[in-house]
Short mmCIF file of all heavy atoms in Angstrom, two decimals:
data_model
loop_
_atom_site.label_atom_id
_atom_site.label_comp_id
_atom_site.label_asym_id
_atom_site.label_seq_id
_atom_site.Cartn_x
_atom_site.Cartn_y
_atom_site.Cartn_z
N GLY Z 241 110.88 143.92 115.53
CA GLY Z 241 112.01 143.05 116.04
C GLY Z 241 111.80 141.57 116.19
O GLY Z 241 112.54 140.81 116.66
N THR Z 242 110.64 141.10 115.67
CA THR Z 242 110.32 139.71 115.72
C THR Z 242 111.29 138.91 114.87
O THR Z 242 111.58 139.26 113.67
CB THR Z 242 108.83 139.32 115.22
OG1 THR Z 242 108.01 139.96 116.14
CG2 THR Z 242 108.71 137.85 115.17
N LEU Z 243 111.93 137.90 115.40
CA LEU Z 243 112.81 137.01 114.62
C LEU Z 243 111.95 135.96 113.96
O LEU Z 243 111.31 135.09 114.56
CB LEU Z 243 113.85 136.29 115.58
CG LEU Z 243 114.96 137.23 116.10
CD1 LEU Z 243 115.79 136.42 117.03
CD2 LEU Z 243 115.82 137.86 114.96
N LEU Z 244 111.92 136.02 112.64
CA LEU Z 244 111.06 135.14 111.97
C LEU Z 244 111.31 133.66 112.10
O LEU Z 244 110.43 132.83 112.19
CB LEU Z 244 111.13 135.47 110.35
CG LEU Z 244 110.17 134.75 109.50
CD1 LEU Z 244 108.70 134.81 109.93
CD2 LEU Z 244 110.31 135.20 107.96
N GLY Z 245 112.68 133.27 112.25
CA GLY Z 245 112.96 131.95 112.35
C GLY Z 245 112.46 131.44 113.67
O GLY Z 245 111.97 130.24 113.64
N GLY Z 246 112.53 132.24 114.75
CA GLY Z 246 112.02 131.76 116.03
C GLY Z 246 110.43 131.70 115.95
O GLY Z 246 109.98 130.68 116.57
N TRP Z 247 109.78 132.60 115.33
CA TRP Z 247 108.33 132.47 115.35
C TRP Z 247 107.95 131.31 114.42
O TRP Z 247 107.09 130.48 114.94
CB TRP Z 247 107.81 133.76 114.61
CG TRP Z 247 106.32 133.79 114.60
CD1 TRP Z 247 105.50 134.40 115.52
CD2 TRP Z 247 105.41 133.18 113.61
NE1 TRP Z 247 104.19 134.20 115.17
CE2 TRP Z 247 104.09 133.38 114.07
CE3 TRP Z 247 105.61 132.37 112.50
CZ2 TRP Z 247 102.97 133.01 113.42
CZ3 TRP Z 247 104.42 131.91 111.88
CH2 TRP Z 247 103.13 132.20 112.34
N LEU Z 248 108.65 130.98 113.34
CA LEU Z 248 108.25 129.82 112.54
C LEU Z 248 108.49 128.50 113.30
O LEU Z 248 107.71 127.58 113.10
CB LEU Z 248 109.05 129.87 111.22
CG LEU Z 248 108.63 130.93 110.23
CD1 LEU Z 248 109.55 130.99 109.08
CD2 LEU Z 248 107.19 130.70 109.67
N TYR Z 249 109.59 128.50 114.06
CA TYR Z 249 109.88 127.28 114.85
C TYR Z 249 108.79 126.99 115.82
O TYR Z 249 108.25 125.93 115.96
CB TYR Z 249 111.24 127.39 115.53
CG TYR Z 249 111.58 126.16 116.34
CD1 TYR Z 249 112.00 124.94 115.83
CD2 TYR Z 249 111.31 126.16 117.70
CE1 TYR Z 249 112.32 123.87 116.52
CE2 TYR Z 249 111.52 125.02 118.57
CZ TYR Z 249 112.04 123.94 117.88
OH TYR Z 249 112.26 122.78 118.69
N ARG Z 250 108.42 128.03 116.60
CA ARG Z 250 107.30 127.88 117.62
C ARG Z 250 105.97 127.49 116.94
O ARG Z 250 105.28 126.72 117.42
CB ARG Z 250 107.15 129.05 118.44
CG ARG Z 250 108.42 129.40 119.40
CD ARG Z 250 108.13 130.54 120.31
NE ARG Z 250 108.09 131.83 119.58
CZ ARG Z 250 109.12 132.59 119.32
NH1 ARG Z 250 110.32 132.15 119.66
NH2 ARG Z 250 108.94 133.75 118.67
N ALA Z 251 105.64 128.17 115.80
CA ALA Z 251 104.50 127.85 115.10
C ALA Z 251 104.50 126.38 114.55
O ALA Z 251 103.48 125.68 114.67
CB ALA Z 251 104.27 128.73 113.84
N THR Z 252 105.71 125.88 114.18
CA THR Z 252 105.82 124.50 113.77
C THR Z 252 105.40 123.55 114.92
O THR Z 252 104.82 122.50 114.84
CB THR Z 252 107.18 124.14 113.23
OG1 THR Z 252 107.45 125.04 112.21
CG2 THR Z 252 107.29 122.70 112.61
N ARG Z 253 106.00 123.86 116.09
CA ARG Z 253 105.72 123.06 117.31
C ARG Z 253 104.31 123.02 117.62
O ARG Z 253 103.71 122.04 117.87
CB ARG Z 253 106.55 123.58 118.43
CG ARG Z 253 108.03 123.45 118.39
CD ARG Z 253 108.50 122.08 118.94
NE ARG Z 253 108.20 122.05 120.33
CZ ARG Z 253 108.28 120.91 121.07
NH1 ARG Z 253 108.66 119.74 120.43
NH2 ARG Z 253 107.99 120.87 122.27
N ASN Z 254 103.65 124.22 117.52
CA ASN Z 254 102.26 124.32 117.95
C ASN Z 254 101.35 123.55 116.90
O ASN Z 254 100.34 122.86 117.29
CB ASN Z 254 101.78 125.88 118.10
CG ASN Z 254 102.41 126.53 119.20
OD1 ASN Z 254 102.87 125.86 120.16
ND2 ASN Z 254 102.61 127.82 119.11
N THR Z 255 101.66 123.68 115.66
CA THR Z 255 100.82 123.01 114.61
C THR Z 255 101.01 121.55 114.68
O THR Z 255 100.09 120.82 114.56
CB THR Z 255 101.25 123.54 113.28
OG1 THR Z 255 101.17 124.91 113.07
CG2 THR Z 255 100.39 122.89 112.16
N ALA Z 256 102.18 121.11 114.99
CA ALA Z 256 102.47 119.62 115.16
C ALA Z 256 101.66 119.09 116.34
O ALA Z 256 101.05 117.98 116.34
CB ALA Z 256 103.89 119.34 115.21
N ALA Z 257 101.75 119.85 117.39
CA ALA Z 257 101.05 119.38 118.60
C ALA Z 257 99.55 119.26 118.39
O ALA Z 257 98.84 118.35 118.97
CB ALA Z 257 101.34 120.38 119.73
N ALA Z 258 99.04 120.11 117.64
CA ALA Z 258 97.60 120.07 117.32
C ALA Z 258 97.15 118.97 116.47
O ALA Z 258 96.01 118.52 116.55
CB ALA Z 258 97.07 121.44 116.83
N THR Z 259 98.04 118.48 115.60
CA THR Z 259 97.65 117.54 114.58
C THR Z 259 98.27 116.08 114.79
O THR Z 259 97.98 115.13 114.19
CB THR Z 259 98.03 117.97 113.19
OG1 THR Z 259 99.44 118.32 113.12
CG2 THR Z 259 97.27 119.25 112.79
N LEU Z 260 99.16 116.01 115.69
CA LEU Z 260 99.92 114.79 115.85
C LEU Z 260 99.83 114.30 117.25
O LEU Z 260 100.96 113.74 117.85
CB LEU Z 260 101.40 114.91 115.42
CG LEU Z 260 101.58 115.34 113.98
CD1 LEU Z 260 103.00 115.74 113.68
CD2 LEU Z 260 101.19 114.30 113.05
N ARG Z 261 98.84 114.49 117.99
CA ARG Z 261 98.80 114.01 119.39
C ARG Z 261 99.10 112.50 119.63
O ARG Z 261 99.85 112.04 120.48
CB ARG Z 261 97.45 114.36 120.10
CG ARG Z 261 97.30 115.84 120.11
CD ARG Z 261 95.99 116.22 120.88
NE ARG Z 261 95.76 117.68 120.76
CZ ARG Z 261 96.36 118.58 121.35
NH1 ARG Z 261 97.21 118.31 122.23
NH2 ARG Z 261 96.02 120.01 121.15
N SER Z 262 98.49 111.69 118.79
CA SER Z 262 98.69 110.29 118.88
C SER Z 262 100.09 109.87 118.56
O SER Z 262 100.76 108.95 119.20
CB SER Z 262 97.76 109.56 118.00
OG SER Z 262 97.90 109.88 116.66
N GLU Z 263 100.65 110.62 117.47
CA GLU Z 263 102.06 110.32 117.22
C GLU Z 263 103.03 110.72 118.33
O GLU Z 263 104.05 110.01 118.55
CB GLU Z 263 102.47 111.22 115.98
CG GLU Z 263 101.72 110.74 114.66
CD GLU Z 263 102.09 109.31 114.30
OE1 GLU Z 263 103.31 108.89 114.41
OE2 GLU Z 263 101.28 108.64 113.73
N ARG Z 264 102.76 111.75 119.08
CA ARG Z 264 103.59 112.18 120.13
C ARG Z 264 103.54 111.16 121.37
O ARG Z 264 104.54 110.90 121.95
CB ARG Z 264 103.13 113.58 120.60
CG ARG Z 264 103.50 114.72 119.64
CD ARG Z 264 102.93 116.00 120.09
NE ARG Z 264 103.55 116.44 121.34
CZ ARG Z 264 104.74 117.06 121.39
NH1 ARG Z 264 105.47 117.36 120.35
NH2 ARG Z 264 105.12 117.39 122.58
N ARG Z 265 102.37 110.56 121.58
CA ARG Z 265 102.26 109.52 122.53
C ARG Z 265 103.19 108.38 122.26
O ARG Z 265 103.85 107.79 123.03
CB ARG Z 265 100.85 109.12 122.82
CG ARG Z 265 100.01 110.18 123.45
CD ARG Z 265 98.63 109.57 124.02
NE ARG Z 265 97.80 109.23 122.86
CZ ARG Z 265 96.93 110.01 122.37
NH1 ARG Z 265 96.70 111.21 122.87
NH2 ARG Z 265 96.15 109.64 121.35
N ARG Z 266 103.12 107.95 120.89
CA ARG Z 266 103.93 106.89 120.46
C ARG Z 266 105.43 107.18 120.56
O ARG Z 266 106.26 106.38 120.95
CB ARG Z 266 103.58 106.48 119.10
CG ARG Z 266 104.39 105.35 118.41
CD ARG Z 266 103.78 104.89 117.09
NE ARG Z 266 103.93 105.97 116.16
CZ ARG Z 266 105.09 106.07 115.55
NH1 ARG Z 266 106.15 105.39 115.64
NH2 ARG Z 266 105.15 107.09 114.56
N ALA Z 267 105.72 108.48 120.18
CA ALA Z 267 107.13 108.91 120.28
C ALA Z 267 107.66 108.82 121.75
O ALA Z 267 108.83 108.55 122.10
CB ALA Z 267 107.40 110.27 119.73
N ALA Z 268 106.70 109.13 122.69
CA ALA Z 268 107.16 109.08 124.12
C ALA Z 268 107.54 107.75 124.51
O ALA Z 268 108.48 107.54 125.29
CB ALA Z 268 105.98 109.67 125.03
N ARG Z 269 106.68 106.71 124.09
CA ARG Z 269 107.04 105.36 124.37
C ARG Z 269 108.55 104.97 123.73
O ARG Z 269 109.28 104.24 124.35
CB ARG Z 269 105.96 104.39 123.93
CG ARG Z 269 104.65 104.54 124.62
CD ARG Z 269 103.69 103.43 124.30
NE ARG Z 269 103.28 103.43 122.92
CZ ARG Z 269 102.28 104.08 122.48
NH1 ARG Z 269 101.45 104.77 123.34
NH2 ARG Z 269 101.95 104.07 121.12
N GLU Z 270 108.70 105.43 122.57
CA GLU Z 270 109.97 105.09 121.91
C GLU Z 270 111.04 105.78 122.71
O GLU Z 270 112.21 105.12 122.83
CB GLU Z 270 110.03 105.58 120.47
CG GLU Z 270 109.04 104.85 119.58
CD GLU Z 270 109.00 105.40 118.19
OE1 GLU Z 270 109.63 106.42 118.00
OE2 GLU Z 270 108.39 104.82 117.32
N LYS Z 271 110.93 106.91 123.20
CA LYS Z 271 112.01 107.68 123.99
C LYS Z 271 112.35 106.77 125.20
O LYS Z 271 113.53 106.70 125.68
CB LYS Z 271 111.51 109.04 124.43
CG LYS Z 271 111.28 110.07 123.21
CD LYS Z 271 110.70 111.31 123.71
CE LYS Z 271 110.33 112.25 122.52
NZ LYS Z 271 109.80 113.39 122.99
N GLU Z 272 111.27 106.28 125.93
CA GLU Z 272 111.54 105.50 127.10
C GLU Z 272 112.37 104.23 126.68
O GLU Z 272 113.34 103.89 127.47
CB GLU Z 272 110.24 105.12 127.75
CG GLU Z 272 109.52 106.28 128.29
CD GLU Z 272 108.11 105.82 128.93
OE1 GLU Z 272 107.78 104.55 128.90
OE2 GLU Z 272 107.37 106.68 129.52
N ALA Z 273 111.99 103.66 125.66
CA ALA Z 273 112.82 102.39 125.19
C ALA Z 273 114.21 102.76 124.79
O ALA Z 273 115.12 102.07 125.22
CB ALA Z 273 112.13 101.85 124.04
N ILE Z 274 114.40 103.96 124.19
CA ILE Z 274 115.86 104.35 123.85
C ILE Z 274 116.57 104.63 125.15
O ILE Z 274 117.74 104.27 125.31
CB ILE Z 274 115.75 105.63 123.03
CG1 ILE Z 274 115.27 105.24 121.65
CG2 ILE Z 274 117.21 106.25 122.87
CD1 ILE Z 274 114.95 106.54 120.80
N MET Z 275 116.01 105.29 126.11
CA MET Z 275 116.73 105.58 127.34
C MET Z 275 117.17 104.34 128.13
O MET Z 275 118.24 104.18 128.61
CB MET Z 275 115.84 106.48 128.29
CG MET Z 275 115.81 107.91 127.78
SD MET Z 275 114.97 108.98 129.01
CE MET Z 275 113.23 108.48 128.83
N LEU Z 276 116.28 103.28 128.07
CA LEU Z 276 116.55 102.02 128.73
C LEU Z 276 117.75 101.34 127.93
O LEU Z 276 118.55 100.78 128.66
CB LEU Z 276 115.34 101.13 128.80
CG LEU Z 276 114.16 101.60 129.71
CD1 LEU Z 276 112.96 100.60 129.52
CD2 LEU Z 276 114.75 101.46 131.14
N GLN Z 277 117.70 101.39 126.68
CA GLN Z 277 118.73 100.69 125.97
C GLN Z 277 120.10 101.39 126.01
O GLN Z 277 121.16 100.70 125.95
CB GLN Z 277 118.32 100.65 124.44
CG GLN Z 277 117.12 99.73 124.19
CD GLN Z 277 116.55 99.93 122.74
OE1 GLN Z 277 117.13 100.67 121.90
NE2 GLN Z 277 115.56 99.10 122.37
N GLU Z 278 120.09 102.66 126.28
CA GLU Z 278 121.33 103.36 126.16
C GLU Z 278 121.96 103.59 127.53
O GLU Z 278 123.09 104.14 127.71
CB GLU Z 278 121.15 104.72 125.54
CG GLU Z 278 120.65 104.59 124.06
CD GLU Z 278 121.75 103.97 123.24
OE1 GLU Z 278 122.97 104.07 123.56
OE2 GLU Z 278 121.35 103.25 122.19
N THR Z 279 121.22 103.14 128.52
CA THR Z 279 121.69 103.34 129.96
C THR Z 279 123.14 102.91 130.18
O THR Z 279 124.06 103.57 130.74
CB THR Z 279 120.75 102.79 130.93
OG1 THR Z 279 119.46 103.33 130.81
CG2 THR Z 279 121.28 102.99 132.45
N ASN Z 280 123.43 101.72 129.55
CA ASN Z 280 124.79 101.07 129.85
C ASN Z 280 125.69 101.30 128.69
O ASN Z 280 126.71 100.60 128.55
CB ASN Z 280 124.53 99.53 130.20
CG ASN Z 280 123.82 99.39 131.43
OD1 ASN Z 280 123.95 100.12 132.38
ND2 ASN Z 280 122.85 98.38 131.41
N ARG Z 281 125.30 102.11 127.62
CA ARG Z 281 126.20 102.25 126.50
C ARG Z 281 126.33 103.82 126.18
O ARG Z 281 125.97 104.23 125.16
CB ARG Z 281 125.62 101.60 125.34
CG ARG Z 281 125.56 100.13 125.50
CD ARG Z 281 125.22 99.42 124.16
NE ARG Z 281 124.05 99.95 123.54
CZ ARG Z 281 123.70 99.69 122.20
NH1 ARG Z 281 124.52 99.03 121.46
NH2 ARG Z 281 122.55 100.20 121.77
N PRO Z 282 126.81 104.65 127.14
CA PRO Z 282 126.98 106.01 126.91
C PRO Z 282 127.92 106.40 125.77
O PRO Z 282 127.68 107.37 125.07
CB PRO Z 282 127.57 106.61 128.23
CG PRO Z 282 128.23 105.33 128.82
CD PRO Z 282 127.41 104.23 128.43
N GLU Z 283 128.84 105.49 125.41
CA GLU Z 283 129.76 105.84 124.33
C GLU Z 283 129.18 105.77 122.99
O GLU Z 283 129.63 106.30 122.00
CB GLU Z 283 130.92 104.92 124.32
CG GLU Z 283 130.62 103.44 124.05
CD GLU Z 283 130.10 102.66 125.21
OE1 GLU Z 283 129.88 103.26 126.24
OE2 GLU Z 283 129.85 101.41 124.97
N ASP Z 284 127.92 105.05 122.94
CA ASP Z 284 127.26 105.01 121.55
C ASP Z 284 126.07 105.85 121.44
O ASP Z 284 125.32 105.78 120.48
CB ASP Z 284 126.78 103.50 121.33
CG ASP Z 284 128.01 102.50 121.31
OD1 ASP Z 284 129.11 102.97 120.90
OD2 ASP Z 284 127.84 101.39 121.77
N SER Z 285 125.71 106.58 122.53
CA SER Z 285 124.50 107.18 122.59
C SER Z 285 124.40 108.54 121.69
O SER Z 285 123.22 109.02 121.40
CB SER Z 285 123.98 107.42 123.96
OG SER Z 285 124.90 108.23 124.61
N ALA Z 286 125.57 109.19 121.65
CA ALA Z 286 125.54 110.56 121.01
C ALA Z 286 125.52 110.37 119.48
O ALA Z 286 126.53 110.61 118.74
CB ALA Z 286 126.83 111.32 121.46
N SER Z 287 124.38 109.88 118.95
CA SER Z 287 124.14 109.71 117.49
C SER Z 287 122.92 110.42 117.13
O SER Z 287 122.02 110.67 117.94
CB SER Z 287 124.16 108.33 117.13
OG SER Z 287 122.99 107.70 117.75
N TRP Z 288 122.81 110.81 115.79
CA TRP Z 288 121.59 111.48 115.39
C TRP Z 288 120.31 110.67 115.61
O TRP Z 288 119.24 111.18 116.05
CB TRP Z 288 121.72 111.77 113.92
CG TRP Z 288 120.47 112.45 113.32
CD1 TRP Z 288 119.72 111.96 112.36
CD2 TRP Z 288 119.82 113.63 113.66
NE1 TRP Z 288 118.69 112.74 112.09
CE2 TRP Z 288 118.72 113.85 112.88
CE3 TRP Z 288 120.05 114.61 114.67
CZ2 TRP Z 288 117.85 114.93 112.90
CZ3 TRP Z 288 119.24 115.70 114.75
CH2 TRP Z 288 118.11 115.83 113.98
N GLU Z 289 120.39 109.40 115.45
CA GLU Z 289 119.24 108.50 115.65
C GLU Z 289 118.73 108.54 117.15
O GLU Z 289 117.49 108.46 117.31
CB GLU Z 289 119.53 107.00 115.24
CG GLU Z 289 119.65 106.85 113.80
CD GLU Z 289 118.37 107.32 112.90
OE1 GLU Z 289 117.24 106.94 113.46
OE2 GLU Z 289 118.49 108.06 112.01
N ASN Z 290 119.61 108.77 117.97
CA ASN Z 290 119.25 108.74 119.52
C ASN Z 290 118.79 110.21 119.83
O ASN Z 290 117.87 110.42 120.70
CB ASN Z 290 120.34 108.33 120.34
CG ASN Z 290 120.69 106.78 120.19
OD1 ASN Z 290 119.72 106.11 119.75
ND2 ASN Z 290 121.83 106.40 120.48
N ILE Z 291 119.32 111.15 119.15
CA ILE Z 291 119.09 112.57 119.58
C ILE Z 291 117.82 113.10 118.89
O ILE Z 291 117.03 113.80 119.52
CB ILE Z 291 120.28 113.52 119.16
CG1 ILE Z 291 121.47 113.25 120.01
CG2 ILE Z 291 119.88 114.91 119.20
CD1 ILE Z 291 122.75 113.98 119.61
N ARG Z 292 117.52 112.50 117.70
CA ARG Z 292 116.43 113.10 116.83
C ARG Z 292 115.10 113.02 117.59
O ARG Z 292 114.40 114.01 117.69
CB ARG Z 292 116.38 112.27 115.59
CG ARG Z 292 115.12 112.67 114.74
CD ARG Z 292 115.01 111.74 113.53
NE ARG Z 292 114.81 110.44 113.84
CZ ARG Z 292 113.70 109.93 114.33
NH1 ARG Z 292 112.56 110.68 114.45
NH2 ARG Z 292 113.57 108.61 114.63
N PRO Z 293 114.62 111.89 118.28
CA PRO Z 293 113.33 111.96 118.89
C PRO Z 293 113.25 112.72 120.23
O PRO Z 293 112.12 113.06 120.69
CB PRO Z 293 113.10 110.39 119.26
CG PRO Z 293 114.40 109.85 119.34
CD PRO Z 293 115.37 110.67 118.28
N LEU Z 294 114.41 113.22 120.73
CA LEU Z 294 114.42 114.00 121.93
C LEU Z 294 114.73 115.50 121.66
O LEU Z 294 114.57 116.34 122.62
CB LEU Z 294 115.52 113.42 122.88
CG LEU Z 294 115.47 111.92 123.13
CD1 LEU Z 294 116.62 111.51 124.06
CD2 LEU Z 294 114.15 111.52 123.93
N LEU Z 295 115.19 115.78 120.49
CA LEU Z 295 115.70 117.17 120.22
C LEU Z 295 114.73 118.25 120.42
O LEU Z 295 114.94 119.24 121.16
CB LEU Z 295 116.33 117.11 118.73
CG LEU Z 295 116.77 118.54 118.43
CD1 LEU Z 295 118.01 119.06 119.32
CD2 LEU Z 295 117.30 118.54 116.95
N ASP Z 296 113.55 118.09 119.91
CA ASP Z 296 112.59 119.18 119.93
C ASP Z 296 111.98 119.55 121.39
O ASP Z 296 111.85 120.64 121.76
CB ASP Z 296 111.45 118.97 118.95
CG ASP Z 296 112.05 119.08 117.48
OD1 ASP Z 296 112.27 120.12 116.93
OD2 ASP Z 296 112.16 117.94 116.84
N ASP Z 297 111.75 118.46 122.08
CA ASP Z 297 111.32 118.69 123.46
C ASP Z 297 112.43 119.36 124.24
O ASP Z 297 112.24 120.13 125.07
CB ASP Z 297 110.97 117.28 124.17
CG ASP Z 297 109.57 116.91 123.68
OD1 ASP Z 297 108.71 117.74 123.24
OD2 ASP Z 297 109.26 115.63 123.78
#
Side-chain angles (χ1 to χ4, degrees):
T242 297
L243 288 176
L244 184 54
W247 187 94
L248 289 171
Y249 178 78
R250 291 188 293 274
T252 306
R253 290 275 296 169
N254 293 337
T255 302
T259 57
L260 300 171
R261 296 189 188 280
S262 61
E263 293 294 328
R264 289 174 63 83
R265 286 195 293 269
R266 183 171 64 82
R269 293 193 294 270
E270 291 179 352
K271 292 173 188 177
E272 292 178 359
I274 290 173
M275 287 189 286
L276 289 175
Q277 292 173 359
E278 297 299 329
T279 299
N280 297 320
R281 296 193 303 166
E283 69 279 4
D284 297 330
S285 61
S287 68
W288 175 240
E289 288 304 311
N290 293 334
I291 290 173
R292 180 185 58 77
L294 307 175
L295 177 61
D296 292 287
D297 283 339

